[in-house]
């Protein structure tokens, strides 16, 4: 499945060695000595992360907006002190994310979930300063608890502007019968006395032209409510740190709303924070043949990079080209017994041998937060790298991690 479909949404960085991203990533990754890391291992490059954070901070500085890390995409909390130097805090999808962001970054904590559990809500209140509700009934159910909790908590409502340019339904919060947020029709049927802000999230890996068009729709439909509120949250899906991202139109979109309504604007990107800052180092275990050369790796699409199968997409590999581009083409497969545990087809100048290292790019986001121990396959280790401090392995996993969840 994933092998024939190119990474659709992330298509800007697909390609072989001629691709400028590949050159950049290679330039970074060759500075690492792969043998200093266990295999497999996620390695986040702190210098690259800092570059992304500087771009995000420049948007905050130019517009006065507030940018939060969406922990759903990237929760490697060893980096939270660094991220907290640049961003205003975190957004969370659950009690546990709210707690992690509160304890490890200690700045603003926002939370949104389609519905909150009653037995968790007191704790959610303890860790969060902003709570976004998905429906009128959720707001009514919890508003007295919020008022009585002894600290000031800002409350928002997620709206569904019924406008999204995402073509894949699984990532489109505005598809027919979506449960994400309130449509204008439902919103208008109620009185939202006590609500401080609105939240929409309708984008995925998109540029700012999409945001501009979305903001026009939100303004047209919900503008009349904005002037009485304190803030609006533009959600995530803004690919701000991508090379071809148009920052000027982002700035224009933020200032348009800020100036028209005199309210604060939040953005909560996940991907953009750690985009292209992580690698997954793996090792060839065996090479076999069945109509083509197949390399079995010690890392698995199903276990360690589930978006490869879910999205699906073909991750870049350092030093590899498209199939057929170089003399030796291999299909990369994982060590599990899932037939479709296939990462993609890649070509190399030299033949691969057991023991060779294979390094996948852009493996910081939606990787560590989604991995699993299917088939009893161990989890990759987690490490940091920077030019100043070199390699630092933070975590390795073992049998107990597998067993303790079962
Ligand atoms: C997924 C999500 C984000 C982050 O999205 P990215 O695509 O990683 O930028 C932000 N806010 C909400 C509500 C989300 O569901």
């Amino acid at each position: 499945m994933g092998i024939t479909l190119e990474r659709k949404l992330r298509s800007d960085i697909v390609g072989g060695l001629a691709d400028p991203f590949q050159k950049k990533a290679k330039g970074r990754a060759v500075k690492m000595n792969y043998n200093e890391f266990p295999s497999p291992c996620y390695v986040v490059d702190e210098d690259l992360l800092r570059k992304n954070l500087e771009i995000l901070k420049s948007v905050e500085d130019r517009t006065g907006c507030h940018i939060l890390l969406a922990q759903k995409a990237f929760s490697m909390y060893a980096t939270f002190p660094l991220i907290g130097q640049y961003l205003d805090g975190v957004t969370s999808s659950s009690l546990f994310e709210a707690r992690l962001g509160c304890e490890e970054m200690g700045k603003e904590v926002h939370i949104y979930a389609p519905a909150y559990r009653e037995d968790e809500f007191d704790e959610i209140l303890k860790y969060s300063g902003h709570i976004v509700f998905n429906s009128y009934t959720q707001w009514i159910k919890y508003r007295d608890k919020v008022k009585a909790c002894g600290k000031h908590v800002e409350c928002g409502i997620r709206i569904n502007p019924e406008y999204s340019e995402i073509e894949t339904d699984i990532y489109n919060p505005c598809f027919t019968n979506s449960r994400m947020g309130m449509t204008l029709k439902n919103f208008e049927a109620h009185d939202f006395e006590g609500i401080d802000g609105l939240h929409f999230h309708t984008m995925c890996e998109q540029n700012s032209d999409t945001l501009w068009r979305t903001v026009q729709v939100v303004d047209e439909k919900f503008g009349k409510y904005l002037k009485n509120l304190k803030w609006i949250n533009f959600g995530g899906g803004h690919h701000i740190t991508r090379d071809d991202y148009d920052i000027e139109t982002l700035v224009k979109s933020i200032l348009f709303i800020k100036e028209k309504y005199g309210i604060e604007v939040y953005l909560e990107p996940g991907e953009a924070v750690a985009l292209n800052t992580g690698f997954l180092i793996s090792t060839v275990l065996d090479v076999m043949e069945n109509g083509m050369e197949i390399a079995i790796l010690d890392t698995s699409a199903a276990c360690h990079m589930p978006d490869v199968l879910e999205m699906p997409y073909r991750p870049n590999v350092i030093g590899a080209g498209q199939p057929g581009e170089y003399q030796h083409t291999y299909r990369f497969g994982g060590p599990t017994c899932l037939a479709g545990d296939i990462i993609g087809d890649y070509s190399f100048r030299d033949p691969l041998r057991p023991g060779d290292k294979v390094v996948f790019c852009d493996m910081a986001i939606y990787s560590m937060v989604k991995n699993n121990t299917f088939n009893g396959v161990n989890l990759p280790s987690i490490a940091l790298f920077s030019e100043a401090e070199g390699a630092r392995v933070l975590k390795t996993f073992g049998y107990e991690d597998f067993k303790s969840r079962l």
Side-chain angles (χ1 to χ4, degrees):
M1 45 191 340
I3 51 162
T4 49
L5 278 154
E6 282 301 294
R7 169 187 227 171
K8 259 208 188 123
L9 298 161
R10 301 177 187 177
S11 57
D12 58 300
I13 57 168
V14 169
L17 289 175
D19 183 305
F21 166 76
Q22 268 274 16
K23 282 201 190 123
K24 243 192 332 195
K26 194 178 173 208
R28 275 314 290 186
V30 290
K31 294 203 165 96
M32 297 176 194
N33 175 359
Y34 306 147
N35 295 315
E36 285 182 341
F37 300 94
S39 180
C41 185
Y42 301 110
V43 183
V44 168
D45 184 321
E46 279 184 313
D47 303 327
L48 293 177
L49 182 59
R50 198 181 285 275
K51 270 192 199 151
N52 282 357
L53 293 167
E54 274 161 9
I55 293 170
L56 297 171
K57 182 78 167 66
S58 75
V59 174
E60 290 181 316
D61 291 343
R62 284 182 63 189
T63 63
C65 79
H66 309 282
I67 301 187
L68 310 167
L69 162 71
Q71 292 174 94
K72 178 183 84 184
F74 183 67
S75 296
M76 184 183 166
Y77 58 88
T79 63
F80 282 12
L82 173 65
I83 295 172
Q85 289 172 27
Y86 294 86
L87 305 187
D88 282 320
V90 296
T91 193
S92 326
S93 326
S94 59
L95 166 63
F96 292 169
E97 283 188 358
R99 179 172 173 181
L100 188 73
C102 178
E103 292 181 350
E104 301 297 330
M105 197 180 298
K107 298 186 80 179
E108 286 187 34
V109 175
H110 296 225
I111 187 168
Y112 159 79
Y116 296 109
R117 292 174 61 101
E118 226 170 300
D119 58 354
E120 289 186 352
F121 200 76
D122 287 337
E123 258 195 289
I124 286 173
L125 274 169
K126 183 173 143 199
Y127 297 115
S128 314
H130 288 70
I131 301 180
V132 174
F133 295 95
N134 194 52
S135 68
Y136 182 70
T137 44
Q138 281 274 295
W139 158 239
I140 295 305
K141 178 168 178 177
Y142 291 114
R143 73 179 166 186
D144 292 339
K145 275 198 167 207
V146 175
K147 271 192 204 135
C149 79
K151 67 170 187 182
H152 177 67
V153 173
E154 305 253 316
C155 292
I157 294 288
R158 177 161 173 170
I159 54 168
N160 174 358
E162 297 175 271
Y163 179 84
S164 169
E165 299 179 10
I166 301 169
E167 281 162 18
T168 324
D169 276 354
I170 190 178
Y171 294 110
N172 182 0
C174 301
F175 76 137
T176 312
N177 310 125
S178 170
R179 73 188 186 289
M180 319 308 278
M182 298 187 74
T183 60
L184 182 62
K185 183 166 157 272
N186 290 333
F187 189 87
E188 279 179 333
H190 302 284
D191 174 14
F192 283 97
E193 171 74 37
I195 282 290
D196 303 294
L198 295 184
H199 175 290
F200 69 87
H201 171 73
T202 59
M203 291 171 52
C204 178
E205 301 187 329
Q206 279 158 320
N207 213 318
S208 48
D209 57 324
T210 301
L211 175 64
W212 175 254
R213 290 187 286 273
T214 306
V215 161
Q216 299 312 307
V217 174
V218 169
D219 181 36
E220 200 176 294
K221 291 188 171 172
F222 292 89
K224 56 180 174 289
Y225 301 105
L226 287 177
K227 52 184 173 296
N228 302 317
L229 298 177
K230 293 187 194 159
W231 48 266
I232 182 164
N233 188 322
F234 288 1
H238 317 280
H239 241 189
I240 303 169
T241 51
R242 196 171 79 190
D243 279 347
D244 69 338
Y245 189 86
D246 172 11
I247 299 224
E248 296 311 312
T249 302
L250 170 64
V251 167
K252 184 174 87 169
S253 305
I254 296 167
L255 293 179
F256 170 74
I257 291 291
K258 276 196 75 158
E259 284 160 12
K260 185 160 179 184
Y261 296 105
I263 60 177
E264 298 295 318
V265 171
Y266 282 93
L267 302 180
E268 45 179 36
E271 283 216 28
V273 176
L275 187 68
N276 291 324
T277 65
F279 302 90
L280 174 56
I281 296 177
S282 67
T283 306
V284 177
L285 298 179
D286 194 19
V287 177
M288 56 174 286
E289 195 275 337
N290 179 15
M292 68 183 293
E293 296 289 312
I294 299 159
I296 317 280
L297 307 182
D298 65 356
T299 191
S300 155
C303 301
H304 304 155
M305 38 185 136
D307 269 7
V308 164
L309 301 181
E310 223 174 87
M311 244 187 152
Y313 79 100
R314 172 187 176 275
N316 275 319
V317 167
I318 303 287
Q322 294 295 335
E325 189 177 342
Y326 300 111
Q327 198 182 345
H328 305 277
T329 294
Y330 296 89
R331 176 158 299 174
F332 285 162
T336 69
C337 60
L338 174 70
D341 188 359
I342 287 164
I343 303 160
D345 295 353
Y346 300 86
S347 70
F348 294 84
R349 289 200 175 90
D350 301 311
L352 288 180
R353 296 199 174 80
D356 285 350
K357 291 285 190 263
V358 170
V359 182
F360 294 93
C361 298
D362 198 16
M363 283 293 161
I365 47 174
Y366 292 105
S367 55
M368 286 168 252
V369 291
K370 288 184 95 171
N371 63 14
N372 62 75
T373 58
F374 175 56
N375 269 228
V377 173
N378 197 8
L379 298 169
S381 304
I382 296 178
L384 280 172
F385 173 81
S386 68
E387 267 187 79
E389 297 192 56
R392 277 160 292 156
V393 178
L394 307 177
K395 289 216 170 157
T396 54
F397 300 92
Y399 176 66
E400 286 308 323
D401 297 293
F402 163 65
K403 188 182 175 193
S404 67
R405 302 198 315 163
L406 299 169

